[in-house]
């Protein structure tokens, strides 16, 4: 049995979570939260970061900060997780799905400009598998049309585009620390990255239920009150402590994942050379983070056969995503811009292999053996 995912454990989480439990502050924005945020602000670097209970919440905060409202349009790929769209649909926006590029499976930047209408407010590029979208082009389009860019960098921890950390390029960015991502804050968690100073003040207010409590704690106001709309977007200290246990070891986690990724890639090259599978493609501007190892087969039938072969030997290989535009809520809240040339077709050909911190070379060899056997008949 080889699991598809195992949440990463660095071995330090327990110590820090206990420390947080025994401290007299276990609600949000305590010492561990501050330590984590500072780590990101220095390492990425980034003007300001705020821990959130999930990436979904970070995206919701982004939609609130951009004052997305009914009638607005938001451009994004359909090949993504539901949260990318949910956050903006919640504010009443219409989601305009733009086709993906067949190489990176990221939004096709060449189609974006034509999808813009007078109602367009924002572009939300999703960095699939931690491989960057063509951000220079996207930022130039946004600037020309006075649009905001929110990077869904849920999968982008430790990835870069032209040397810049993902999530730090758009006006706002969002990371996920869900247990399936490279590092986790105990199962659920996220981070909002604020790169545009205009959003810093209001982000703190929205995150604190619409109050100026953060300012109050810093002694900037003598009482705090309800000043705007908001919600409770703070994770508790136990989550931050868990995350700190991972951040301290994140280089080790990353090194191990990269090694596993390369091991899969090298082992599968012969099959790719024979044209039996297609390996992932990395544009030269992008440094990826081994968030996932995927490859593509010829079509849906071939994929079904392969996934059945994995299932028969209890190996957790999976597929995703069902394109959002063809899902019930996608039909209700969005529309697809022009032709779906690649989104559906590519999604039906994709296979994701087991990938987690601690995956052994022997297990990778077992997984690849199944693919070799499948390719032979
Ligand atoms: C995981 C993921 C999310 C959601 O992250 P949560 O932390 O679970 O809310 C959003 N977008 C993408 C692309 C993801 O992969």
């Amino acid at each position: 049995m080889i699991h598809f995912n195992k949440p990463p454990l660095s071995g330090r989480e327990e110590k820090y979570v206990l420390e947080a439990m025994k401290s007299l502050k276990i609600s949000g924005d305590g010492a561990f939260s501050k330590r984590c945020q500072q780590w990101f602000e220095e390492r990425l670097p980034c003007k300001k970061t705020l821990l959130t209970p999930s990436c979904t919440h970070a995206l919701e905060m982004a939609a609130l900060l951009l004052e997305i409202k009914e009638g607005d349009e938001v451009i994004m790929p359909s090949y993504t997780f539901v949260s990318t769209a949910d956050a903006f649909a919640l504010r009443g926006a219409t989601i305009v799905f733009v086709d993906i590029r067949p190489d990176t499976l990221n939004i096709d930047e060449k189609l974006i400009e034509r999808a813009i209408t007078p109602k367009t407010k924002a572009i939300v590029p999703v960095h699939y598998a931690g491989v960057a979208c063509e951000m220079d082009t996207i930022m130039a389009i946004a600037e020309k049309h006075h649009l905001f860019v929110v990077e869904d960098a849920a999968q982008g921890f430790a990835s870069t585009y032209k040397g810049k950390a993902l999530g730090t390029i758009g006006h706002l960015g969002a990371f996920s620390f869900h247990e399936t991502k490279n590092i986790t804050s105990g199962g659920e968690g996220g981070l909002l990255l604020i790169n545009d100073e205009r959003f810093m003040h209001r982000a703190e207010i929205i995150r604190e239920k619409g109050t100026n409590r953060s300012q109050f704690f810093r002694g900037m106001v003598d009482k705090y009150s309800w000043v705007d709309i908001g919600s409770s977007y703070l994770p508790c200290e136990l989550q931050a402590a868990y995350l700190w246990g991972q951040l301290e070891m994140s280089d080790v986690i990353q090194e191990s994942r990269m090694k596993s990724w390369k091991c899969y890639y090298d082992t599968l090259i012969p099959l790719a050379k024979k044209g039996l599978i297609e390996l992932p493609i990395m544009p030269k501007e992008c440094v990826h983070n081994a968030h996932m190892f995927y490859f593509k087969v010829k079509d849906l039938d071939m994929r079904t056969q392969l996934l059945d072969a994995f299932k028969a030997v209890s190996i957790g290989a999976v597929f995703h995503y069902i394109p959002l535009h063809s899902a019930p809520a996608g039909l209700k809240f969005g529309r697809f811009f022009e032709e779906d040339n690649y989104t559906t077709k590519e999604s039906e050909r994709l296979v994701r292999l087991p990938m987690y911190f601690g995956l052994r070379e022997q297990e990778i060899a077992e997984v690849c053996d199944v693919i070799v056997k499948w390719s032979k008949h």
Side-chain angles (χ1 to χ4, degrees):
M1 165 120 165
I2 302 175
H3 292 270
F4 172 67
N5 178 61
K6 284 184 187 171
L9 265 178
S10 76
R12 297 191 182 187
E13 296 86 354
E14 200 172 322
K15 172 169 156 255
Y16 292 137
V17 170
L18 278 172
E19 203 181 298
M21 282 167 69
K22 288 176 185 160
S23 74
L24 294 174
K25 167 120 178 116
I26 53 172
S27 65
D29 273 348
F32 281 108
S33 294
K34 295 211 169 87
R35 220 182 276 178
C36 291
Q37 288 171 187
Q38 198 177 2
W39 188 94
F40 283 107
E41 285 158 19
E42 284 166 10
R43 274 229 1 193
L44 294 171
C46 174
K47 289 213 176 85
K48 183 153 185 71
T49 63
L50 291 168
L51 289 178
T52 57
S54 68
C55 178
T56 306
H57 287 96
L59 292 166
E60 282 180 23
M61 281 186 69
L64 282 164
L65 284 166
L66 301 188
E67 299 182 75
I68 300 292
K69 57 184 187 318
E70 204 162 327
D72 290 344
E73 292 180 358
V74 177
I75 291 172
M76 66 180 66
S78 169
Y79 187 67
T80 181
F81 188 60
V82 292
S83 302
T84 322
D86 255 336
F88 298 90
L90 261 174
R91 312 298 329 145
T94 298
I95 311 300
V96 177
F97 296 112
V98 165
D99 207 5
I100 51 169
R101 296 162 39 151
D103 57 351
T104 57
L105 309 181
N106 284 331
I107 190 166
D108 187 342
E109 68 281 356
K110 292 187 295 301
L111 300 174
I112 292 174
E113 196 156 21
R114 276 193 285 126
I116 294 171
T117 74
K119 293 177 178 173
T120 309
K121 266 286 190 63
I123 306 169
V124 188
V126 179
H127 305 298
Y128 183 68
V131 178
C133 298
E134 187 14 59
M135 289 308 291
D136 277 357
T137 308
I138 293 171
M139 294 311 291
I141 294 168
E143 200 173 322
K144 183 174 161 197
H145 296 272
H146 308 289
L147 304 176
F148 291 110
V149 174
V150 179
E151 293 178 72
D152 182 340
Q155 304 174 6
F157 173 78
S159 290
T160 58
Y161 168 82
K162 296 189 179 173
K164 285 185 221 161
L166 301 194
T168 67
I169 305 164
H171 300 87
L172 298 162
F175 280 173
S176 171
F177 306 128
H178 185 259
E179 67 169 14
T180 53
K181 303 303 200 288
N182 290 27
I183 56 163
T184 179
S185 48
E188 304 279 354
L191 186 76
L192 177 69
L193 295 86
I194 303 167
N195 309 311
D196 185 324
E197 283 173 20
R198 280 177 293 177
F199 297 119
M200 284 185 192
H201 176 62
R202 192 159 170 251
E204 283 187 339
I205 290 169
I206 287 172
R207 185 161 166 269
E208 274 282 18
K209 304 97 188 160
T211 72
N212 55 356
R213 184 154 138 184
S214 300
Q215 282 183 300
F216 171 72
F217 281 133
R218 285 199 297 267
M220 291 160 73
V221 288
D222 57 11
K223 61 177 177 0
Y224 76 84
S225 57
W226 185 29
V227 294
D228 200 341
I229 55 165
S231 188
S232 185
Y233 290 123
L234 288 79
C236 73
E237 274 293 283
L238 305 188
Q239 283 166 284
Y242 198 104
L243 183 64
W244 183 248
Q246 303 235 318
L247 289 180
E248 275 197 339
M249 294 286 279
S250 62
D251 290 341
V252 176
I253 293 172
Q254 278 307 108
E255 200 180 313
S256 157
R257 289 188 81 109
M258 293 303 277
K259 216 170 132 218
S260 297
W261 196 97
K262 191 166 182 316
C263 187
Y264 271 131
Y265 193 91
D266 292 345
T267 312
L268 294 174
I269 283 176
L271 289 184
K273 283 201 169 134
K274 285 187 207 154
L276 295 164
I277 62 168
E278 287 171 38
L279 290 171
I281 294 165
M282 299 293 157
K284 63 178 190 316
E285 298 82 9
C286 305
V287 174
H288 77 103
N289 60 355
H291 172 58
M292 66 172 86
F293 191 90
Y294 76 81
F295 63 94
K296 288 186 270 182
V297 299
K298 192 169 132 265
D299 56 25
L300 183 57
D301 273 355
M302 295 290 257
R303 182 176 75 181
T304 306
Q305 283 174 25
L306 177 56
L307 291 183
D308 285 348
F310 278 126
K311 205 169 170 193
V313 291
S314 302
I315 290 177
V318 302
F319 69 86
H320 77 165
Y321 303 101
I322 306 288
L324 297 183
H325 73 280
S326 46
L331 294 167
K332 193 165 163 196
F333 301 114
R335 63 178 151 81
F336 202 91
F337 170 71
E338 292 185 352
E339 295 300 302
D340 168 10
N341 288 319
Y342 296 110
T343 300
T344 302
K345 195 174 101 197
E346 299 303 304
S347 76
E348 289 178 344
R349 307 203 292 137
L350 186 123
V351 179
R352 290 178 68 183
L353 299 180
M355 174 59 102
Y356 51 82
F357 174 52
L359 182 64
R360 287 176 287 129
E361 262 183 41
Q362 173 55 33
E363 291 170 319
I364 294 174
E366 268 180 61
V367 173
C368 292
D369 272 352
V370 174
I371 307 169
V372 171
K373 286 205 188 99
W374 157 87
S375 74
K376 282 184 177 151
H377 66 263

